[in-house]
Amino acid sequence: MNREDMLARLVAQAEDEGCDLVTLRAVVEEASDLGAVRVLARMGLADDSAHNDLAELRQLLGAWRDAKASAWKAAVGWVVRAVLALLLFAIAVRFGSGNLVR
């Protein structure tokens, strides 16, 4: 018996006997399991290699996040160095060392 048949039987049981809490929980559980299976199938993750695919995607996403963080740190470092160099140049010009630059 597959999940669709199980869900159909539970719904029929709920209609015949009335819906007690146990039957309602069973209907909800089977419906959610069936929905999850359909979603995974639509996304192409219903095969045996889906776990490996997701693990690779997580590794790729982690590497992307690390690279992005490193790029931001490098960019901030370069900006800070440029600001400090300009500040040092302005101080040198202010104290009369501008002739050495020319």
Side-chain angles (χ1 to χ4, degrees), residues 75-89:
V76 168
W78 279 103
V79 168
V80 168
R81 287 184 188 107
V83 168
L84 289 176
L86 286 174
L87 182 64
L88 185 61
F89 181 73

Side-chain angles (χ1 to χ4, degrees), residues 9-72:
R9 288 184 65 197
L10 285 170
V11 169
Q13 179 183 348
E15 287 177 359
D16 292 341
E17 301 172 6
C19 192
D20 62 344
L21 185 59
V22 173
T23 305
L24 183 61
R25 284 185 178 175
V27 167
V28 169
E29 184 177 341
E30 287 299 321
S32 62
D33 284 348
L34 184 60
V37 168
R38 284 182 183 171
V39 167
L40 289 173
R42 286 179 186 164
M43 292 175 57
L45 297 172
D47 57 350
D48 292 335
S49 66
H51 183 3
N52 294 334
D53 294 342
L54 287 176
E56 287 178 16
L57 283 173
R58 285 183 180 172
Q59 288 177 349
L60 183 62
L61 184 59
W64 168 255
R65 288 178 178 158
D66 291 342
K68 189 169 60 169
S70 295
W72 274 108

